[in-house]
Amino acid sequence: MHGRIRTWGPGALVLLPTVLLLGYFVYGLIAWSFNTSLTNRHTARKGPADYVGFENYGHLFGEDRFLNSLKNLGVLTVAFIVGTLIFGLLWALLLEKGVPGESIFRSIYLFPMAISMIASGVVWGWLLNPSQGADARGLNRLFEILHLNFLENPWWTAGSRWTTMASIALPAIWQLSGYIMALFLAGFRGIPPELREAARVDGASEFKLYRHVLFPQLSPIALSALIILGHMSLKLFDLIYAITGPNQFRTEVPAIYMWNTLLRSDQAKAAAIAIVLLAVVAVLVIPYIAYTVRQESEE
Amino acid sequence: MRGGLSKTLALVGAAGLLAVSACGNSDNSSGGDSSASKDVTVFTWWADGGEKAGLDGLVSVFGTECKDYKFVNSAVAGGAGSNAKQVLANDLQAGKPPSTFQAHAGAELKDYINAGQVDDVSQLYKDYGLDKAFPQNLIDNLTVDGKIYSIPANVHRANVVWANPTVLKKASLDATKAPASVDAWIADLTKLKAAGVAAPLAISKGFAQEMLVEAVLLAELGPDKFKGLWDGKTDWAGGDVTAALNKYKTLLTFTNTDREAIDWPDALGYVNTGKAGYTLMGDWVAAQQLADKVPDTAYTYWPAPGTSEAFQFLSDSFTLPTNGADPDGAKCWLKTVGSAEGQKAFNTKKGSIPARSDANPADYPKYQQSAMADWKKDKIVPSCAHGAACTLGQNNDILSAMSQFSGSPDVAKLQTALGAAMKTS
């Protein structure tokens, strides 16, 4: 018995602070939020609140504003993931083919990641100025100077949900493409050169080489990239807040709506939004975790 | 060697735990310290510009009047107070209120009152003679169920249009007088557009649009029915509201396309640089123009068209939080805020007018003198955009509806949304 403790004891002791902190600050607070979301605590007043079951959730899903924010989030996530994967893969391919001064390009592409979302949001807020023609500023001004007038558009301030949320996704794509590039580049570099040589010897064209030999090797990386981007998009708050400000119906996502709700001390509703958001993240992340755990146990 | 490693690991783990518990301890002790000292923490969102200058003025008066106490600035910058309100909500929730905090006088205070976070200060009004110094209609606007919960530092006017006479001259318009009604204003805007001013009415995002719609409602409905919109006596679904909102929709067609992307100082900039003829904004513009060194001959101002007999007010005020750290120090701050010297030191710098009616207009710059005269004779109506007429929650819903309307103008939808917003709390 004593011997057993000697084997797992120190390890457990090392893990204990993490487990305690995580248990309290993550899982404990999730439970607390869920509990709040079931009550009628709609003010900041302290004292006991009554349980109302899932009433808050019922109200949320009957509310235009919340459904609008969910749809916005869906469009944003799709635009963001697709855009980032395309640019990340494209840059990785270009660098993988070999260019002079590769490290410089790598730094340039990765650099935006070093900037906080709130700071890049402020700058992109200026760049995405909706004025056109003679008054154009920001990106529209650039298009004006380059005589690419057809590219000028009102960005997120007018037009359909797709143009609105794709404009919001643009800065996020700019910021994270470099990271995805690094992931893919590492993936390409990890593929043994013998594989390529073998394929070339077998007479595979360059396209077929990528299609049948290299890309299949990258699928685990693509999956992680998808998960990372997906959950980042769901949490996106600071960027949107910096570009459009609060209370902007056109670009509101659940995270912003939650903040707005909390500002007015409607704690039960804010907690309900938080739990919905958590559920959406879980839908994305849990299958991934299950997949990785199975992979690891197979190994 | 192996035993040594596990021992090291155990030590590291124990050190981690100690560090965690130490954090908890230090937090508690700092909380104890602040309640024992005579610091008065004053929470505001006045972090720069004319607002900061006004606060500094108050602090200097506080320094001489309340020698026993030390002013501790706990201002949170940015977002027209929205960041500050979030921080404040957390502090109040955690049971660690500042000694006193800034809040818009009027309905916005209801959130704090309902949550049991602010104390009744009616007695202080009698102690400091404020019940006689403040005009009765302001006190009426501050009273909730017979009690008053804050002491106003100033009064601002919301329904002011700022115009560039040089631009108006292009269409031979009279810059010295406001158009008589919203319709007359639309006619003038049409002339300006014909004279080559692409976006004659400069406007910015969020609350600026809310202020414009309020000004139109005030002009079309008149002060009494307008007041009724906020206390439930006027029906939001009425035909007169529909007509007013349609006029607002027309006004929007004369505005700059980047209205969702800019803030009010940018819109004011459009007027100053001659790109626009008018902008509607509260009278803190006067302080901004002073700070930007725009000569007062380069711009003119009048009450928003059709609202000349109404003074749409908002007021920054200070509260006495429940279970605050040092209530006596806070009361001394409140006394300073309400006093004649305090109001003069604050308002001459912030561009607002004193809430006291015994102030001497000669102490104030040109704009404030005219506002003080209006404050005495006009009908006082509250502004929702600045918390006098509605709560944070209602304002939040209205702002969301305004931004939706700005993107795709649908009057029926806006009208329903505004009515629904006032039904929330």
Side-chain angles (χ1 to χ4, degrees):
Chain A
M1 188 62 206
H2 186 71
R4 279 237 203 100
I5 288 178
R6 279 184 71 91
T7 36
W8 61 260
L13 204 60
V14 169
L15 280 179
L16 194 64
T18 323
V19 169
L20 285 181
L21 290 176
L22 214 62
Y24 180 76
F25 285 106
V26 177
Y27 298 102
L29 293 185
I30 288 175
W32 181 73
S33 291
F34 182 65
N35 185 45
T36 307
S37 76
L38 300 178
T39 65
N40 63 351
R41 194 180 286 283
H42 296 299
T43 65
R45 186 172 277 280
K46 294 206 167 130
D50 295 328
Y51 281 93
V52 292
F54 286 86
E55 188 190 274
N56 290 315
Y57 295 89
H59 286 318
L60 268 186
F61 283 98
E63 202 182 77
D64 267 356
R65 191 168 170 186
F66 182 67
L67 295 177
N68 170 66
S69 74
L70 271 186
K71 285 180 205 157
N72 284 347
L73 180 65
V75 174
L76 174 74
T77 306
V78 171
F80 171 58
I81 290 182
V82 170
T84 316
L85 282 180
I86 288 177
F87 279 102
L89 191 58
L90 188 71
W91 292 346
L93 272 176
L94 292 175
L95 289 188
E96 196 262 335
K97 298 300 284 177
V99 281
E102 186 201 307
S103 63
I104 296 173
F105 282 102
R106 247 190 349 232
S107 316
I108 290 176
Y109 289 147
L110 256 176
F111 182 63
M113 243 198 107
I115 301 168
S116 77
M117 283 261 177
I118 193 88
S120 82
V122 170
V123 175
W124 276 90
W126 299 330
L127 288 178
L128 298 178
N129 189 296
S131 300
Q132 294 175 49
D135 287 338
R137 285 186 282 166
L139 283 185
N140 283 350
R141 178 87 241 161
L142 183 71
F143 295 147
E144 187 82 8
I145 292 168
L146 297 174
H147 298 288
L148 295 169
N149 302 39
F150 64 96
L151 280 175
E152 284 183 54
N153 69 71
W155 303 111
W156 59 272
T157 60
S160 71
R161 193 190 304 281
W162 275 98
T163 49
T164 303
M165 295 320 285
S167 311
I168 296 294
L170 209 58
I173 293 172
W174 169 78
Q175 200 148 22
L176 281 160
S177 292
Y179 174 58
I180 299 304
M181 173 207 73
L183 283 184
F184 278 123
L185 201 56
F188 278 125
R189 296 278 147 84
I191 298 170
E194 295 81 25
L195 276 180
R196 294 173 195 241
E197 281 160 22
R200 291 215 173 90
V201 167
D202 287 347
S205 66
E206 198 71 354
F207 175 77
K208 279 191 169 157
L209 170 72
Y210 278 96
R211 169 74 186 78
H212 295 291
V213 180
L214 299 184
F215 282 158
Q217 306 263 343
L218 293 181
S219 62
I221 289 174
L223 186 65
S224 343
L226 198 72
I227 303 301
I228 292 165
L229 294 177
H231 93 275
M232 288 193 79
S233 158
L234 296 177
K235 292 188 306 192
L236 217 51
F237 170 88
D238 33 10
L239 185 74
I240 305 175
Y241 187 92
I243 296 178
T244 73
N247 294 313
Q248 182 57 253
F249 183 85
R250 302 181 61 77
T251 60
E252 194 166 62
V253 294
I256 299 238
Y257 190 29
M258 180 176 78
W259 189 85
N260 277 326
T261 314
L262 202 60
L263 184 60
R264 55 195 277 189
S265 300
D266 193 339
Q267 306 198 352
K269 189 170 161 187
I273 299 174
I275 295 296
V276 172
L277 205 52
L278 180 73
V280 177
V281 175
V283 164
L284 199 79
V285 173
I286 287 177
Y288 172 70
I289 294 174
Y291 170 81
T292 12
V293 166
R294 208 171 41 217
Q295 287 252 311
E296 277 169 8
S297 63
E298 272 170 18
E299 280 166 16
Chain B
M1 184 65 211
R2 245 192 129 65
L5 181 65
S6 63
K7 260 182 204 155
T8 320
L9 289 178
L11 271 174
V12 169
L17 272 178
L18 273 176
V20 170
S21 57
C23 280
N25 280 339
S26 71
D27 200 31
N28 286 342
S29 62
S30 77
D33 282 348
S34 71
S35 66
S37 74
K38 293 213 164 189
D39 287 351
V40 176
T41 45
V42 178
F43 187 96
T44 65
W45 54 84
W46 294 329
D48 55 12
E51 301 182 328
K52 177 70 167 63
L55 181 63
D56 290 343
L58 265 183
V59 171
S60 66
V61 177
F62 178 75
T64 50
E65 298 283 305
C66 310
K67 287 204 171 64
D68 296 345
Y69 301 99
K70 195 169 138 265
F71 169 83
V72 178
N73 192 354
S74 132
V76 174
S82 61
N83 299 344
K85 284 172 193 170
Q86 189 71 61
V87 174
L88 179 65
N90 285 340
D91 287 354
L92 292 174
Q93 194 63 32
K96 285 186 179 174
S99 305
T100 176
F101 63 85
Q102 174 194 7
H104 286 126
E108 198 179 287
L109 274 172
K110 270 187 203 155
D111 293 331
Y112 303 113
I113 299 170
N114 290 340
Q117 290 167 335
V118 286
D119 283 347
D120 175 14
V121 293
S122 311
Q123 187 56 42
L124 297 183
Y125 272 67
K126 293 196 186 79
D127 295 350
Y128 304 155
L130 299 178
D131 49 347
K132 294 189 182 63
F134 291 159
Q136 189 55 43
N137 47 25
L138 175 64
I139 292 181
D140 291 344
N141 268 299
L142 297 174
T143 309
V144 180
D145 298 330
K147 293 175 186 158
I148 311 177
Y149 292 90
S150 70
I151 292 185
N154 65 350
V155 166
H156 271 298
R157 186 177 199 171
N159 58 325
V160 189
V161 166
W162 307 82
N164 183 331
T166 324
V167 175
L168 301 197
K169 219 172 269 165
K170 279 187 196 162
S172 326
L173 297 172
D174 181 6
T176 58
K177 242 174 48 210
S181 64
V182 177
D183 288 323
W185 197 21
I186 290 174
D188 286 358
L189 286 162
T190 316
K191 282 184 202 154
L192 271 173
K193 208 166 185 173
V197 183
L201 176 59
I203 196 171
S204 54
K205 64 185 171 190
F207 73 87
Q209 292 172 26
E210 189 181 0
M211 288 173 76
L212 181 61
V213 85
E214 278 192 273
V216 174
L217 284 166
L218 177 57
E220 295 295 302
L221 271 59
D224 296 325
K225 281 197 83 177
F226 176 78
K227 245 179 132 167
L229 286 173
W230 311 109
D231 58 22
K233 294 194 183 93
T234 308
D235 185 8
W236 272 99
D240 43 1
V241 176
T242 317
L245 293 181
N246 271 311
K247 286 180 186 170
Y248 170 69
K249 186 180 170 183
T250 312
L251 282 178
L252 268 194
T253 62
F254 294 101
T255 62
N256 40 313
T257 48
D258 61 352
R259 57 176 178 256
E260 288 299 322
I262 61 169
D263 272 322
W264 69 265
D266 306 311
L268 179 63
Y270 287 173
V271 175
N272 285 338
T273 54
K275 275 178 73 179
Y278 316 95
T279 188
L280 183 140
M281 187 38 63
D283 57 8
W284 42 94
V285 162
Q288 181 77 26
Q289 298 284 54
L290 213 62
D292 292 347
K293 301 199 169 55
V294 180
D296 57 9
T297 47
Y299 65 96
T300 179
Y301 46 85
W302 12 262
T307 68
S308 58
E309 83 279 27
F311 191 110
Q312 197 187 10
F313 94 104
L314 58 112
S315 165
D316 295 302
S317 65
F318 283 92
T319 59
L320 190 62
T322 307
N323 302 326
D326 194 332
D328 290 328
K331 278 176 190 162
C332 201
W333 173 261
L334 292 177
K335 189 177 181 183
T336 308
V337 166
S339 70
E341 308 85 74
Q343 298 231 324
K344 185 180 154 190
F346 181 69
N347 289 297
T348 46
K349 296 203 178 82
K350 185 163 187 275
S352 43
I353 63 171
R356 297 175 72 101
S357 40
D358 57 1
N360 180 10
D363 292 339
Y364 289 83
K366 185 177 149 205
Y367 168 77
Q368 275 106 310
Q369 291 185 10
S370 76
M372 286 162 88
D374 289 347
W375 173 247
K376 284 216 172 82
K377 66 176 171 51
D378 286 351
K379 279 204 163 166
I380 311 286
V381 294
S383 155
C384 168
H386 299 282
C390 58
T391 65
L392 277 179
Q394 290 163 343
N395 195 29
N396 193 300
D397 286 354
I398 291 173
L399 284 170
S400 172
M402 297 307 304
S403 75
Q404 191 181 8
F405 186 80
S406 170
S408 45
D410 180 335
V411 168
K413 220 175 188 174
L414 177 63
Q415 193 168 3
T416 326
L418 292 178
M422 288 311 292
K423 287 200 183 72
T424 59
S425 61

